[in-house]
Amino acid sequence: MTAVLNAGTAGVDLVPRRGLLLGPKGWAAVLAAALSVGVLVPLLNLAVPADSAWHLSDYYVSLFGKIMCYAICALAMDLIWGYTGILSLGHGLFFALGGYVMGMYLMRQIGTDGHYKSELPDFMVFLDWKELPWHWALSDSFLATLVLVVAVPGGLAFVFGYFAFRSRIKGVYFSIITQAMTFAAMLLFFRNETGFGGNNGFTDFKRILDIPIATSGMRVTLFAITGFVLIGFFLLGRWIVNSKYGRVLQAVRDAESRVMFTGYNPLGYKLSIWTLSAMMCGVAGALYVPQVGIINPSEMSPAASIEIAIWTAVGGRASLIGPIIGAFFVNGAKSWFTVSFPEFWLYFLGALFIGVTLFLPHGIVGLLRGRRKNTEDRA
């Protein structure tokens, strides 16, 4: 699988470029996206009557919000894979950790409204726990939760990355150990005694900041926040790849030994972008959980991490916008296929990825750019 994911690397146009953060058309697109998530979608959902053809249902608001969380993960993957040459097959772990941190807060927000009318989460009462474990100590504070959403995945990524990069583990070997890491974490979180809900995880959330969570207003609010976070991370990514720091990252990807020969130490560059990427996934997981309403160890499965790489490859690596397009395309197709042809979805996903790897090494964005270039050449 890792070899397939690495296919097509040499053919990607990854030349570092200087320039403005965005051109006029780029800023216009960002403004249009901001107006869509902050104004258009809320109006179509809240102001347009449900019987109108222009009404956007709660289902689609939640679906688009969920896909935008996936798009943040794909964008994070692009920074380390597309621009730094580090293929991670364990980013689902960082996504799930951010989700679990938020899930712990949401479970504490249930209070005595649970099935057992206890301050403890229902699964702890069922397991005859008498008090909260030590790692739940700050779970009742929203501010602490916001800090831990980035600190927990970021801290784990920093420690793991420091030892891995210092040992100069890279390529297929790095991909394998990241996959092993997320698989080990999944097995750990499946255990009831760890205090994370075991196989069922966390669900049945009631409130966030003491505001009911299962309302159209809160659903639209979470959608808008997710959209603005995605736009913000995209702009951050643009700033990074256009900076001197970003050009060094691309040099590390293309010829790490030459970078070392010129006096740069790749360790700090690789470790910093790896940690930032993990923190982005943690934020995505925290936004995902209140919109979907559940978090369990399946989010840490190796398959979930591989899917993040697939979204990035399908959309087009080293483009930033490509992974976002890939996340929407693949997950939109998944939503349609699992409803219309549930038994064929996995076959479609496999065929899609193999086809992109063999025939579209630059992904959807590369195809669109190629057609535009041909049009301009004819003109």
Side-chain angles (χ1 to χ4, degrees), residues 26-258:
W27 283 115
V30 168
L31 178 60
L35 291 174
S36 296
V37 300
V39 178
L40 180 61
V41 170
L43 285 177
L44 293 179
N45 177 256
L46 300 176
V48 176
D51 57 353
S52 171
W54 295 99
H55 176 74
L56 188 66
S57 68
D58 291 345
Y59 167 78
Y60 283 107
V61 171
S62 296
L63 175 62
F64 293 147
K66 179 178 73 172
I67 294 178
M68 286 193 295
C69 294
Y70 292 153
I72 294 173
C73 291
L75 185 61
M77 175 67 76
D78 196 31
L79 288 175
I80 62 164
W81 186 23
Y83 287 97
T84 318
I86 303 171
L87 174 58
S88 168
L89 296 182
H91 258 44
L93 170 59
F94 306 129
F95 176 82
L97 287 176
Y100 266 96
V101 171
M102 178 57 71
M104 291 164 69
Y105 168 77
L106 295 175
M107 291 297 288
R108 294 294 300 277
Q109 282 274 291
I110 294 175
T112 57
D113 292 342
H115 178 75
Y116 295 103
K117 309 299 180 183
S118 170
E119 290 289 347
L120 294 177
D122 282 350
F123 74 89
M124 290 187 182
V125 178
F126 179 78
L127 295 173
D128 199 29
W129 289 47
K130 303 303 181 183
E131 59 183 6
L132 291 168
W134 65 268
H135 50 271
W136 282 70
L138 300 176
S139 57
D140 60 339
S141 169
F142 185 72
L143 291 178
T145 296
L146 294 182
V147 173
L148 292 173
V149 159
V150 295
V152 172
L156 176 61
F158 181 86
V159 174
F160 175 87
Y162 176 77
F163 288 105
F165 296 139
R166 191 184 66 168
S167 303
R168 297 186 182 179
I169 299 174
K170 54 186 177 180
V172 173
Y173 302 103
F174 185 85
S175 301
I176 291 173
I177 63 173
T178 55
Q179 192 171 55
M181 176 181 65
T182 190
F183 185 71
M186 180 184 70
L187 295 180
L188 177 66
F189 274 67
F190 266 122
R191 301 177 66 89
N192 287 324
E193 60 267 29
T194 58
F196 293 110
N199 181 60
N200 296 321
F202 304 148
T203 188
D204 195 29
F205 308 129
K206 307 292 186 184
R207 291 174 290 274
I208 182 170
L209 289 173
D210 293 321
I211 303 172
I213 202 170
T215 63
S216 295
M218 178 57 70
R219 189 173 290 108
V220 167
T221 300
L222 291 170
F223 169 89
I225 292 173
T226 305
F228 287 126
V229 169
L230 174 58
I231 293 171
F233 278 142
F234 172 78
L235 294 175
L236 175 63
R238 288 284 299 182
W239 177 78
I240 288 174
V241 301
N242 285 333
S243 66
K244 177 182 177 181
Y245 170 76
R247 292 192 293 276
V248 174
L249 291 178
Q250 295 170 73
V252 169
R253 175 206 58 211
D254 295 335
E256 184 173 345
S257 59
R258 292 186 182 182

Side-chain angles (χ1 to χ4, degrees), residues 7-8 11-13 310-319 322-323 325-326 329 352-353 355-371:
V12 182
D13 180 14
I310 291 176
W311 305 333
T312 307
V314 169
R317 288 181 293 129
S319 62
I325 295 174
F329 177 77
L352 172 66
F353 184 57
V356 167
T357 302
L358 294 178
F359 304 109
L360 294 175
H362 308 308
I364 296 173
V365 168
L367 175 64
L368 297 176
R369 287 176 177 172
R371 288 185 174 180

Side-chain angles (χ1 to χ4, degrees), residues 3-24:
V4 175
L5 289 170
N6 279 318
T9 302
V12 182
D13 180 14
L14 302 174
V15 179
R17 293 188 297 269
R18 292 177 180 266
L20 300 174
L21 185 64
L22 288 172

Side-chain angles (χ1 to χ4, degrees), residues 241-302:
V241 301
N242 285 333
S243 66
K244 177 182 177 181
Y245 170 76
R247 292 192 293 276
V248 174
L249 291 178
Q250 295 170 73
V252 169
R253 175 206 58 211
D254 295 335
E256 184 173 345
S257 59
R258 292 186 182 182
V259 172
M260 297 174 65
F261 182 76
T262 57
Y264 288 92
N265 183 1
L267 174 61
Y269 290 92
K270 294 166 68 174
L271 183 58
S272 57
I273 196 65
W274 165 258
T275 303
L276 174 62
S277 178
M279 293 167 68
M280 290 171 62
C281 285
V283 172
L287 291 168
Y288 171 88
V289 169
Q291 296 183 84
V292 176
I294 188 172
I295 180 69
N296 58 46
S298 65
E299 299 295 343
M300 298 182 185
S301 68

